[in-house]
Amino acid sequence: MHLKNSKTLFETAKQFIPGGVNSPVRAFKAVGGDPVFIKSAKGAKVYDEDGNEYIELINSWGPMFLGHANELIEEAVREAIKNSLSFGAPTRKEVEMAELITHMVPSVDKVRMVNSGTEATMSAIRLARGYTRKDKIIKFEGCYHGHGDSFLIAAGSGAATMGVPDSPGVTKGTAQDTLTAPFNDLSAVEQLVTENKDEIAAIILEPVAGNMGCVLPKKGFLEGLRTLCDANNMVLIFDEVMTGFRLAPGGAQEVLGVTPDMTTLGKIIGGGMPVGAYGGKKEIMDFVSPEGPVYQAGTLSGNPVAMAAGFAILAHLNEHRNIYKEVDAVSGRIVAGIKENLSRLGLGYTINHIGSMFSLFFTDKEVYDFTSAKQSDTSLFGIYFREMLAKGIYLAPSQFEALFISHAITDDLADQVIQMNYEVLSSVLVK
Ligand code: KE4
């Protein structure tokens, strides 16, 4: 694997872009070495600027659920761009998109399109605050909801990877309104609610966390939050930017059977184009301008090209729900293969897995929250990542991220991943 072009591109990039990247986690800082620059991708493969080919297990952090360069989505985009790229005016496609989303996610009566998951979560908590007339929110350590100020407190994903879970630049005034609790710790939440009686507008969480690595809710955790929100007039917000349209057509809330008051969406919703959305109960959503007083706006919100891509993928998933069983089966094959490798090599590392999301943690302890996730040996992860990359397997460059399997991954490719995993684990990690 040679990286001449990626190397020179990265050197130049660092002259003009902070850290040479447009999103921190891409810089490979947590895993060492320089990032590969991707030139193209098709199906389950990505190709870098140096002629290397990789089997792709990150899929642009989730969006490419049908694989790269999917003809259905690309055809929809080609058709849309013939009519100009943007109007800043209402269009037919936005209506079709909103109707489809409310059909696929029954808890969403009304939905507002935005341009990223960050915009979706920022808008959702502003709305929850406006609706309840309360200021505080509860988030969970290790959960990541985008880079909005209120969320860069004990944040996961890139913030955790870079070691800045509490970012400079977030004012004390903002931070004081964000309360945090350990994921899966219902009694800690109950204590926060008691200590901040009638001051908490919302609880926001990833119903299945992906931003501390994949961490599942313990039995009763989500149900307990639902009960707490009902009893204390708090809005329960499921941040399904990652899990939405991935774990099921209706996301984690469909699989886990707990209904939030609001849902934030992103990633798959745009099929690879910049799209986010927030939606929920009619009585809450009707507080959003111009229907209600809570302001939120966006020049490119509902952009016709992005809507064409998003509608194409969502309509396909809605009509071909067998895709979920197929992706989950291939993901299960990979996870089972890695577990088999671990036991053959006498390694007790932890794997957390649901549907087409999973993480291999370099710790033999159970991983059920951020503290336990941080017990993982991140330098060992760095070695594993680089060795797998050298063997043509493209993983998320951080221990605190989940892997996302696409529908383009075949059993044969899954078996190649399992084989490379065995070779790396045995050569690098077994002394
Ligand atoms: P964006 O603003 O990046 O579209 O979405 C923010 C966001 C919100 N909520 C959840 C649950 C998320 O996972 C994200 C973004 N996820 C990260 C990956 N862990 C995006 C990758 C990156 O930051 O480069």
Side-chain angles (χ1 to χ4, degrees):
M1 181 172 105
H2 68 280
L3 291 174
K4 181 174 159 302
N5 297 337
S6 287
K7 217 159 185 60
T8 43
L9 278 166
F10 192 43
E11 289 316 313
T12 309
K14 283 189 281 191
Q15 293 172 41
F16 305 109
I17 308 169
V21 291
N22 281 311
S23 197
V25 73
R26 302 177 189 173
F28 280 24
K29 272 212 180 319
V31 292
D34 290 340
V36 294
F37 277 59
I38 301 301
K39 185 173 189 175
S40 69
K42 177 71 181 159
K45 297 286 182 69
V46 291
Y47 305 89
D48 68 16
E49 288 283 351
D50 305 285
N52 300 302
E53 175 185 300
Y54 306 92
I55 298 173
E56 138 94 296
L57 300 185
I58 185 69
N59 287 293
S60 183
W61 305 91
M64 313 315 282
F65 190 48
L66 296 179
H68 286 282
N70 173 276
E71 183 47 30
L72 198 76
I73 298 172
E74 305 219 328
E75 178 53 28
V77 168
R78 278 194 294 269
E79 279 311 302
I81 57 179
K82 289 175 188 168
N83 304 322
S84 180
L85 299 182
S86 182
F87 314 116
T91 63
R92 175 188 302 272
K93 205 46 127 186
E94 290 168 270
V95 181
E96 292 170 359
M97 184 72 162
E99 199 166 2
L100 179 58
I101 292 167
T102 59
H103 170 71
M104 293 176 78
V105 191
S107 68
V108 172
D109 297 334
K110 287 192 174 183
V111 61
R112 168 62 63 85
M113 306 311 295
V114 293
N115 302 285
S116 68
T118 293
E119 258 197 282
T121 56
M122 276 167 59
S123 309
I125 56 157
R126 180 185 308 137
L127 174 55
R129 287 169 163 154
Y131 176 70
T132 61
R133 306 173 74 79
K134 297 189 277 184
D135 293 344
K136 291 180 178 174
I137 63 166
I138 292 175
K139 76 172 287 288
F140 294 88
E141 293 155 15
C143 281
Y144 178 73
H145 303 291
H147 65 86
D149 281 3
S150 294
F151 300 121
L152 291 181
I153 320 282
S157 182
T161 302
M162 302 296 149
V164 280
D166 305 296
S167 171
V170 176
T171 66
K172 287 194 182 60
T174 299
Q176 71 185 13
D177 285 336
T178 297
L179 308 170
T180 60
F183 195 75
N184 275 318
D185 188 340
L186 197 54
S187 59
V189 181
E190 286 160 352
Q191 191 177 339
L192 287 175
V193 173
T194 305
E195 290 165 357
N196 299 273
K197 198 90 189 106
D198 299 331
E199 294 183 73
I200 301 170
I203 295 178
I204 183 167
L205 77 157
E206 302 171 57
V208 169
N211 287 293
M212 46 184 125
C214 182
V215 175
L216 278 64
K218 287 187 187 280
K219 195 160 174 30
F221 177 58
L222 299 180
E223 294 80 356
L225 295 179
R226 177 69 275 170
T227 305
L228 265 176
C229 286
D230 291 340
N232 294 278
N233 180 32
M234 298 185 294
V235 177
L236 180 58
I237 304 172
F238 277 6
D239 178 357
E240 296 223 38
V241 167
M242 257 186 194
T243 54
F245 311 114
R246 172 165 288 278
L247 296 188
Q253 57 195 268
E254 176 181 324
V255 173
L256 301 172
V258 177
T259 303
D261 302 307
M262 286 175 65
T263 302
T264 54
L265 298 161
K267 296 182 192 280
I268 292 175
I269 194 173
M273 294 290 284
V275 180
Y278 65 103
K281 286 178 174 169
K282 180 182 180 315
E283 61 266 27
I284 301 177
M285 292 307 292
D286 280 348
F287 262 67
V288 180
S289 179
E291 188 77 31
V294 177
Y295 196 70
Q296 178 269 312
T299 303
L300 295 173
S301 296
N303 170 274
V305 181
M307 291 298 103
F311 187 82
I313 190 169
L314 295 193
H316 186 70
L317 292 173
N318 185 47
E319 286 147 33
H320 303 85
R321 296 185 171 218
N322 56 300
I323 287 174
Y324 290 92
K325 266 197 304 299
E326 290 162 9
V327 186
D328 291 357
V330 175
S331 308
R333 185 185 184 103
I334 295 173
V335 170
I338 294 175
K339 283 181 175 172
E340 164 69 19
N341 292 343
L342 291 170
S343 62
R344 274 173 63 193
L345 295 163
L347 295 169
Y349 299 131
T350 295
I351 295 187
N352 287 351
H353 164 227
I354 180 169
S356 57
M357 287 171 69
F358 70 89
S359 292
L360 171 61
F361 292 95
F362 286 82
T363 173
D364 57 5
K365 305 280 186 309
E366 184 196 3
V367 178
Y368 56 90
D369 65 4
F370 196 29
T371 301
S372 49
K374 283 190 288 187
Q375 291 178 81
S376 305
D377 184 331
T378 51
S379 53
L380 217 45
F381 176 85
I383 296 168
Y384 173 74
F385 173 86
R386 290 197 304 278
E387 292 298 323
M388 288 291 273
L389 191 70
K391 286 182 176 291
I393 310 297
Y394 193 61
L395 304 173
S398 165
Q399 172 70 90
F400 305 117
E401 294 289 356
L403 294 181
F404 302 102
I405 303 305
S406 82
H407 193 232
I409 297 218
T410 60
D411 284 351
D412 174 52
L413 291 174
D415 293 346
Q416 289 179 48
V417 173
I418 294 163
Q419 179 55 29
M420 294 306 125
N421 168 270
Y422 181 80
E423 289 179 18
V424 171
L425 289 177
S426 53
S427 67
V428 175
L429 300 177
V430 176
K431 297 295 168 240

